[in-house]
Amino acid sequence: MLVLKYVVALFGLYFLYAFVTGVLLFMSQPIAEHNGSENLMMEGENKGHSQDRVVLVEEREEAGIARLNLIENAQSSLDIAYHTLHEGIASDLFFASIIDAADRGVQVRFILDGVLHNLRGNNKAVIFAFASHPNIELKFYEPFHALQPWTWNNRLHDKLLIVDNELAMIGGRNIGDSYFARPGYEGAKNDRDVVIINTEPENQDTSVLIEMKKYFNLVWHHPYTKDSATHVSERQRQKGLQRMQELERTKDQHVDLFNRNIDWVAISVPTNRITFLHNPIERLNKEPIVWRKIQFLIDQAEESIYIQSPYIIPTKKMIDESTMRGISAKEITILTNSLAATPNVLAYSGYMHHRVQIARSNVDLYEFQGPKESLHTKTYLFDKRYSVIGSFNIDSRSAYLSTESVVVIDSTEFAEQVEKKMNMYLNQESLLVLDDGSYQYHPWIEEKKPSCFKRGLTKALSFVTRYFQYML
């Protein structure tokens, strides 16, 4: 009994320690002050076309094939950064393609979030397979440390793929079956990527890919980033070899997804300029660099602002700055998930506190109805010219806590494509939220009803999450 009391006391002390240093500390730490550098993205705009062209990657199956194509056509280097991977066919094909590239002599560097990577269970053997390959390096950003709770919120949220310093992909998709599923897949997540093509690879200094590469190197060499495996035993090596053979068999069963003849330049559109933005790499509350750049574009917009984000969980300061000020844009539209569509009730419980307030502001708030699919897209469109695509959600976690990266694309042709896709969700599968929180009637779009359990759980969570929205 005495031992049990000591154990309970120690657990209670640890919980208090974790709560103070992993939660309350973030409430008390001030946010870095505005540095006045937002307008740098607009300086020196090219009057003509830049050397970087872009391809919008929208459809789920298309996005999976695009990734496989980029990897299988790599010649010398692959730099990959992802937030999380989900066990299934999509991740197996992704791993198999990486190993095939490494077998060809391509040097692969792969970064995953140190807590949410999901290389566990059957996929743990992938760590051993990669560690045993001379051409693959796998690292984890900020692995879990039980005695440093202040590091638990420092998560890698980037989704980057850089090929040979000539091609890059950035967007909001993680790697998992739901992100690349064919129509009819239960729980599918709709997202958006962009492929960037450097048409003058001999002239690296003026391509946005050099900035993306610099950022990858910053994260790769940072002290927060650790090797996934420092030593692999013979038993682990054999497990890795067995997993590699399984991956190869999976690839053989889906040969139709490989060896596609994709001419990226031919299907691309020109840009005036592409700017790469990212949050700083630091612990605790970060200076919200990406959010401030988006704020700048919101302020500069004269005609229209379109925002698509799966989660809308801003701090009061973010709301004041983005929807309550005298914004000159005549049309402001936000699209997010309804309760019926969202797979993340924890995030929605935070959004509930802002939903009506946003609907009553100068914003047209739409909610995607689902319910068999959801939106995972992070896209911002300004004056039908500037498109922002990447990993950034409209929430305080993206603004202040996680690593985040986006590209700002100055291109009316690309913006036209993005607007068309955004309008498809707005006009065919979403409803306008009215001032009282109900939906405006639409003759052919049905309001989807969440289950009583989902509604009750979300409401119950909201009583707690209202105090911790800055961590959602």
Side-chain angles (χ1 to χ4, degrees):
M1 249 344 244
L2 185 60
V3 173
L4 181 60
K5 288 182 179 180
Y6 279 122
V7 170
V8 171
L10 285 173
F11 179 80
L13 287 173
Y14 178 76
F15 177 82
L16 180 62
Y17 167 70
F19 184 72
V20 170
T21 61
V23 178
L24 296 184
L25 180 61
F26 290 84
M27 296 179 68
S28 60
Q29 188 210 5
I31 304 299
E33 290 300 318
H34 171 67
N35 61 13
S37 63
E38 282 79 352
N39 61 349
L40 292 178
M41 74 167 76
M42 311 296 288
E43 292 179 358
E45 274 187 281
N46 297 330
K47 294 182 179 179
H49 295 322
S50 77
Q51 69 191 66
D52 293 328
R53 297 175 65 90
V54 290
V55 178
L56 179 65
V57 181
E58 182 78 15
E59 305 305 324
R60 295 191 299 264
E61 190 175 9
E62 171 192 32
I65 292 171
R67 283 164 171 79
L68 299 179
N69 179 268
L70 291 173
I71 294 172
E72 68 182 340
N73 285 290
Q75 300 297 315
S76 59
S77 67
L78 270 173
D79 291 332
I80 305 169
Y82 273 94
H83 174 62
T84 189
L85 301 144
H86 300 280
E87 190 170 348
I89 294 173
S91 59
D92 282 359
L93 296 177
F94 191 69
F95 296 144
S97 298
I98 290 172
I99 292 170
D100 282 354
D103 288 343
R104 299 194 310 269
V106 177
Q107 299 299 309
V108 180
R109 298 188 298 175
F110 195 175
I111 307 174
L112 286 168
D113 181 78
V115 172
L116 301 173
H117 52 76
N118 276 336
L119 289 185
R120 300 179 178 90
N122 190 42
N123 269 341
K124 187 172 184 179
V126 173
I127 299 176
F128 307 140
F130 284 178
S132 301
H133 202 295
N135 292 332
I136 303 178
E137 294 180 85
L138 174 64
K139 290 187 176 184
F140 292 150
Y141 175 83
E142 199 75 275
F144 177 76
H145 196 304
L147 297 180
Q148 296 180 348
W150 55 90
T151 68
W152 298 351
N153 281 309
N154 191 24
R155 305 276 43 97
L156 181 137
H157 198 237
D158 306 299
K159 289 93 174 171
L160 295 172
L161 177 62
I162 307 172
V163 182
D164 295 338
N165 298 318
E166 297 182 15
L167 292 160
M169 174 181 274
I170 184 172
R173 286 182 174 94
N174 297 304
I175 304 299
D177 291 349
S178 61
Y179 296 93
F180 310 111
R182 293 177 178 177
Y185 184 94
E186 185 81 22
K189 296 181 177 69
N190 298 301
D191 216 312
R192 185 170 294 125
D193 304 297
V194 57
V195 171
I196 304 169
I197 307 107
N198 176 14
T199 60
E200 300 175 17
E202 70 284 352
N203 187 16
Q204 290 287 341
D205 291 344
T206 53
S207 170
V208 72
L209 266 68
I210 193 65
E211 298 303 319
M212 298 174 73
K213 190 84 169 185
K214 284 180 181 178
Y215 173 67
F216 186 92
N217 287 334
L218 172 66
V219 180
W220 181 262
H221 295 294
H222 203 281
Y224 299 164
T225 306
K226 311 293 183 183
D227 290 331
S228 61
T230 55
H231 174 73
V232 177
S233 67
E234 180 59 26
R235 181 170 173 271
Q236 291 171 332
R237 193 184 72 81
Q238 289 300 323
K239 283 187 175 181
L241 179 61
Q242 181 181 353
R243 187 72 178 102
M244 289 172 66
Q245 293 169 346
E246 292 173 357
L247 294 171
E248 190 62 32
R249 287 194 293 270
T250 301
K251 182 182 176 184
D252 291 341
Q253 295 169 4
H254 296 84
V255 291
D256 59 310
L257 300 178
F258 294 87
N259 299 313
R260 299 291 185 98
N261 184 22
I262 302 177
D263 188 338
W264 290 108
V265 174
I267 61 176
S268 65
V269 296
T271 67
N272 295 320
R273 181 178 180 180
I274 305 177
T275 305
F276 178 71
L277 307 171
H278 65 84
N279 276 349
I281 306 301
E282 58 190 45
R283 289 170 177 162
L284 302 179
N285 289 326
K286 296 175 170 61
E287 180 183 0
I289 290 178
V290 175
W291 171 239
R292 285 177 176 159
K293 305 291 185 176
I294 291 173
Q295 282 180 245
F296 174 77
L297 285 169
I298 289 173
D299 290 343
Q300 294 297 307
E302 297 179 353
E303 296 297 327
S304 63
I305 299 170
Y306 286 80
I307 294 174
Q308 189 174 342
S309 176
Y311 319 123
I312 310 288
I313 323 170
T315 61
K316 183 180 183 302
K317 186 173 187 296
M318 291 173 70
I319 292 177
D320 291 343
E321 291 173 339
S322 60
T323 63
M324 303 303 169
R325 292 183 301 176
I327 298 174
S328 58
K330 301 177 179 64
E331 183 181 0
I332 308 173
T333 304
I334 294 179
L335 173 61
T336 190
N337 286 307
S338 66
L339 179 56
T342 185
N344 191 336
V345 294
L346 188 66
Y348 195 93
S349 71
Y351 163 62
M352 285 177 64
H353 300 289
H354 307 288
R355 184 172 178 267
V356 171
Q357 182 183 9
I358 296 173
R360 289 176 177 173
S361 71
N362 55 339
V363 170
D364 289 331
L365 176 63
Y366 285 82
E367 292 183 348
F368 180 75
Q369 293 302 298
K372 294 183 178 180
E373 298 181 0
S374 64
L375 299 180
H376 195 256
T377 316
K378 311 96 165 56
T379 302
Y380 313 83
L381 183 62
F382 303 94
D383 285 344
K384 302 184 179 184
R385 175 178 174 179
Y386 297 103
S387 307
V388 181
I389 294 178
S391 65
F392 190 92
N393 297 310
I394 295 292
D395 59 27
S396 54
R397 174 163 290 279
S398 283
Y400 305 112
L401 298 178
S402 298
T403 70
E404 303 288 353
S405 52
V406 302
V407 285
V408 182
I409 301 170
D410 177 3
S411 168
T412 55
E413 291 178 65
F414 183 75
E416 182 180 356
Q417 294 180 358
V418 172
E419 183 182 21
K420 182 178 179 181
K421 295 299 183 181
M422 295 177 78
N423 283 337
M424 179 186 70
Y425 291 114
L426 280 171
N427 300 328
Q428 298 177 16
E429 302 177 80
S430 305
L431 292 173
L432 178 68
V433 181
L434 299 176
D435 289 357
D436 63 355
S438 64
Y439 291 119
Q440 185 178 73
Y441 170 76
H442 197 286
W444 67 77
I445 300 177
E446 179 186 357
E447 176 186 348
K448 299 301 191 298
K449 302 288 188 180
S451 67
C452 292
F453 174 78
K454 190 176 189 181
R455 185 182 298 276
L457 176 61
T458 308
K459 183 67 174 178
L461 287 171
S462 70
F463 290 111
V464 178
T465 56
R466 68 184 305 162
Y467 302 107
F468 305 103
Q469 291 183 47
Y470 62 95
M471 304 183 75
L472 295 180

